[in-house]
């Protein structure tokens, strides 16, 4: 079988890429192990920047007909102090508020697949992608074992797109950076759960855990409980005894019922810096080559924004000309950082480190971050505009991060008596050091260059 483009994986990134390439009148084969509706506990919250990207890709209708919930922002709960603060998504140039969407992941993916396959230039092949086909150091396609077949077939393509997600089978041979597991999300579905504020997602900071809560349909609310380290053996008892007593009262009933009677599902939360190997004839897309902690819900936004970039970079390009495509890979790598991925990646990891504070200095930063939001104005609007990917400016991100760090220093010093001020200064220096230790490695990870393969 021959095609111009072979895409491995028909999740968010793969399906959107198939649609984009099909609109450019390219012959596309979309390969997926199973085209039945996927069932995942993440990929359910689309930020306003992602919704805008979806519309730019002419896929805006894919959030229709799936009972998607409109999201206007976040409520952050700091349970140690029993306080909450609402962060509204920013307004656009005409004064209306940007909105996101939350939905059942599988329903959204099925709509994306349907939109891609409605294009006559896109074909599907159900089966497992086994290995890439190399000739003279170039990837010229992929070998696939179709569902129900005992033999493999070769898909010969000018360009192979690897978009097989977080558990990619091709990452090791195509990506130089290593995947790191930060924590695990335990997912539950709460039935008819009230919201603290209508159409707002919620972030709950308990003593040792972070919980993300958002409504995905009129009667279903997702709760994602973050657990550092290995997942406890007796998970249900652990949640009921250690976490449930700390959740806000408005969700406690549905939360307890979901934990006691519902299905508990676990998923690793990973970090993977973007550092692809430049192999002629193949590119990587989505979680296969770049991941960040899903606390901020920006993974789909990153993938869709990447597809927009590839759509522009490959327009009118002869895909058989590997030198031109490799040049596009270099441009893609740096342009995505300036447009969206730098902010998405650094913000996700930094915010998770702060919100899941596990030592005293991080706790100072966490409380300072919460108080910073409470100041309102730019102290609230700036961070939420970054999180929503409406204005993903790296300088703005770094500025707000160190503003929080300085606010933490102020809080530490302000609570000390004058004769204890030397101790306060020592603690302040320690807090600043912790902030630098948190953010600088993430900033450095965004400077990694693609690896050129001879």
């Amino acid at each position: 079988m021959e095609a111009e483009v072979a895409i491995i994986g028909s999740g968010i990134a793969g399906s959107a890429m198939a649609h984009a390439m099909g609109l450019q009148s390219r012959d596309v084969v979309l390969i997926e192990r199973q085209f039945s509706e996927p069932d995942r506990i993440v990929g359910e919250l689309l930020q306003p920047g992602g919704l805008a990207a979806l519309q730019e890709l002419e896929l805006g209708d894919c959030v229709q007909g799936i009972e998607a919930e409109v999201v206007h922002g976040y409520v952050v709960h700091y349970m140690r102090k029993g306080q909450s603060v609402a962060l509204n998504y920013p307004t656009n140039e005409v004064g209306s508020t940007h909105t996101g969407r939350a939905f059942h992941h599988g329903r959204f993916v099925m709509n994306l697949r349907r939109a891609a396959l409605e294009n006559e230039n896109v074909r599907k092949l159900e089966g497992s992608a086994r290995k890439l086909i190399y000739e003279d150091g170039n990837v010229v396609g992929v070998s696939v074992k179709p569902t129900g077949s005992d033999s493999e077939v070769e898909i010969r393509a000018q360009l192979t797109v690897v978009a097989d997600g977080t558990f990619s089978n091709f990452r090791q041979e195509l990506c130089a950076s290593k995947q790191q597991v930060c924590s695990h999300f335990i997912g539950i579905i709460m039935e008819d759960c009230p919201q603290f504020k209508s159409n707002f997602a919620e972030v709950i900071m308990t003593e040792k855990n972070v919980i993300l809560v958002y409504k995905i349909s009129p009667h279903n609310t997702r709760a994602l409980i973050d657990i550092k380290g290995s997942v406890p053996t007796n998970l249900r008892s652990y949640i009921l005894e250690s976490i449930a007593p700390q959740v806000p009262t408005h969700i406690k009933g549905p939360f307890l019922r979901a934990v006691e009677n519902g299905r508990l599902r676990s998923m690793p939360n990973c970090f993977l810096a973007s550092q692809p190997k430049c192999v002629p004839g193949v590119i990587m897309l989505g979680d296969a080559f770049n991941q960040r902690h899903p606390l901020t819900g920006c993974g789909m936004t990153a993938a869709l924004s990447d597809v927009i970039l590839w759509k522009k970079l490959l327009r009118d390009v002869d895909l058989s000309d590997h030198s031109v495509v490799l040049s596009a890979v270099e441009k893609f790598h740096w342009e995505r950082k300036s447009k969206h991925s730098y902010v998405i990646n650094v913000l996700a990891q930094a915010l998770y480190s702060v919100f899941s504070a596990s030592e005293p200095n991080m706790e100072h930063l966490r409380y300072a971050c919460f108080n910073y939001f409470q100041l309102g104005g730019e102290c609230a609007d700036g961070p939420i505009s970054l999180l929503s990917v409406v204005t993903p400016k790296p300088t703005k991100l770094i500025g707000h991060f160190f503003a929080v760090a300085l606010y933490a220093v102020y809080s530490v010093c302000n609570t000390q008596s004058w004769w204890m001020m030397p101790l306060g200064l020592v603690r302040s220096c320690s807090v600043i050091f912790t902030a630098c230790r948190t953010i600088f490695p993430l900033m450095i990870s965004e400077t990694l260059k693609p690896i050129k393969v001879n």
Side-chain angles (χ1 to χ4, degrees):
M1 185 185 296
E2 294 187 353
E4 281 186 84
V5 183
I7 301 176
I8 303 171
S10 69
I12 306 295
S15 297
M17 188 67 168
H19 176 76
M21 294 297 97
L23 290 180
Q24 292 184 357
S25 299
R26 299 189 187 276
D27 182 21
V28 180
V29 174
L30 184 59
I31 304 162
E32 175 60 44
R33 186 171 57 86
Q34 289 182 328
F35 278 95
S36 56
E37 184 174 314
D39 183 16
R40 294 183 60 192
I41 64 171
V42 293
E44 299 170 320
L45 181 57
L46 185 64
Q47 298 290 357
L51 187 60
L54 196 70
Q55 292 164 348
E56 186 173 342
L57 289 167
E58 301 179 41
L59 290 168
D61 288 345
C62 290
V63 294
Q64 304 297 324
I66 57 174
E67 296 186 303
E69 293 285 322
V70 176
V71 182
H72 292 302
Y74 283 81
V75 174
V76 181
H77 303 281
Y78 188 62
M79 300 310 296
R80 174 175 286 186
K81 299 292 184 180
Q83 298 175 344
S84 303
V85 60
L87 302 174
N88 297 277
Y89 282 144
T91 56
N92 58 27
E93 57 278 359
V94 297
S96 59
T97 303
H98 288 279
T99 60
R101 295 292 185 274
F103 38 68
H104 285 274
H105 172 83
R107 298 175 188 176
F108 179 57
V109 169
M110 293 303 285
N111 274 359
L112 288 176
R113 290 173 177 172
R114 193 174 298 114
L117 295 171
E118 282 176 356
N119 190 305
E120 62 182 5
N121 298 310
V122 181
R123 295 169 284 163
K124 72 175 183 179
L125 175 61
E126 186 171 274
S128 299
R130 293 305 181 88
K131 61 180 181 292
L132 299 176
I133 303 170
Y134 288 84
E135 287 184 2
D136 300 323
N138 303 326
V139 172
V140 296
V142 57
S143 179
V144 179
K145 184 179 180 182
T147 301
S149 174
D150 294 328
S151 58
E152 296 181 10
V153 298
E154 289 189 351
I155 310 297
R156 295 271 170 164
Q158 296 173 8
L159 178 67
T160 301
V161 179
V162 175
D164 56 344
T166 188
F167 303 109
S168 175
N169 294 320
F170 303 97
R171 182 180 293 125
Q172 188 170 355
E173 64 181 291
L174 297 175
C175 191
S177 52
K178 302 298 181 184
Q179 186 185 57
Q180 305 168 34
V181 177
C182 308
S183 63
H184 289 80
F185 261 159
I186 308 302
I188 59 174
I189 292 285
M190 299 185 291
E191 299 290 337
D192 297 316
C193 180
Q195 293 181 296
F196 186 86
K197 187 173 182 180
S198 182
N199 295 108
F200 274 66
E202 300 178 46
V203 177
I204 303 166
M205 295 185 288
T206 67
E207 287 293 326
K208 295 182 180 180
N209 306 91
V210 183
I211 306 171
L212 182 59
V213 177
Y214 50 89
K215 201 171 182 180
I216 56 176
S217 69
H219 298 286
N220 295 157
T221 297
R222 171 70 73 192
L224 295 171
I225 306 159
D226 185 82
I227 295 179
K228 286 187 174 181
S230 58
V231 178
T233 304
N234 195 337
L235 182 58
R236 202 177 302 272
S237 295
Y238 171 78
I239 296 174
L240 289 173
E241 295 170 7
S242 302
I243 299 176
Q246 301 181 65
V247 302
T249 55
H250 71 281
I251 71 166
K252 185 158 289 188
F255 185 90
L256 289 172
R257 288 192 293 273
V259 174
E260 289 170 350
N261 306 316
R263 181 184 177 193
L264 303 182
R265 302 181 59 194
S266 172
M267 181 173 179
N269 298 323
C270 302
F271 174 70
L272 176 67
S274 169
Q275 192 179 27
K277 297 177 183 178
C278 296
V279 180
V282 62
I283 62 174
M284 300 189 77
L285 195 62
D287 285 350
F289 89 111
N290 187 204
Q291 294 176 269
R292 76 294 303 162
H293 197 284
L295 174 66
T296 54
C298 291
M300 290 188 291
T301 301
L304 294 168
S305 299
D306 284 348
V307 172
I308 289 175
L309 274 182
W310 275 121
K311 183 180 178 181
K312 294 175 180 177
L313 291 170
L314 296 180
R315 184 178 288 117
D316 301 324
V317 168
D318 179 2
L319 299 181
S320 64
D321 189 336
H322 295 314
S323 62
V324 174
V325 175
L326 286 176
S327 177
V329 169
E330 187 83 15
K331 291 179 182 177
F332 169 78
H333 182 78
W334 296 114
E335 191 171 342
R336 73 188 294 265
K337 293 182 185 297
S338 64
K339 288 185 177 295
H340 58 273
S341 71
Y342 185 104
V343 166
I344 288 174
N345 293 334
V346 174
L347 177 63
Q349 293 303 123
L351 200 62
Y352 173 69
S353 295
V354 171
F355 277 16
S356 63
S358 56
E359 47 100 356
N361 285 338
M362 292 303 295
E363 179 58 38
H364 284 308
L365 287 170
R366 176 163 74 162
Y367 190 42
C369 184
F370 180 81
N371 288 336
Y372 188 77
F373 293 156
Q374 286 187 314
L375 293 175
E378 180 59 21
C379 297
D381 296 342
I384 197 65
S385 71
L386 293 165
L387 178 64
S388 62
V389 203
V390 172
T391 55
K393 298 178 180 179
T395 53
K396 190 174 186 177
L397 168 62
I398 303 305
H400 280 291
F401 182 84
F402 281 104
V404 168
L406 291 175
Y407 196 60
V409 167
Y410 166 77
S411 299
V412 169
C413 292
N414 197 43
T415 57
Q416 300 293 327
S417 302
W418 67 268
W419 61 84
M420 294 292 290
M421 194 56 66
L423 178 60
L425 291 174
V426 171
R427 287 177 176 172
S428 297
C429 291
S430 182
V431 168
I432 290 294
F433 174 77
T434 300
C436 293
R437 187 187 65 193
T438 299
I439 197 75
F440 285 162
L442 299 174
M443 294 168 65
I444 292 170
S445 72
E446 289 299 308
T447 67
L448 297 175
K449 300 178 180 179
I451 302 298
K452 296 183 179 180
V453 179
N454 296 326

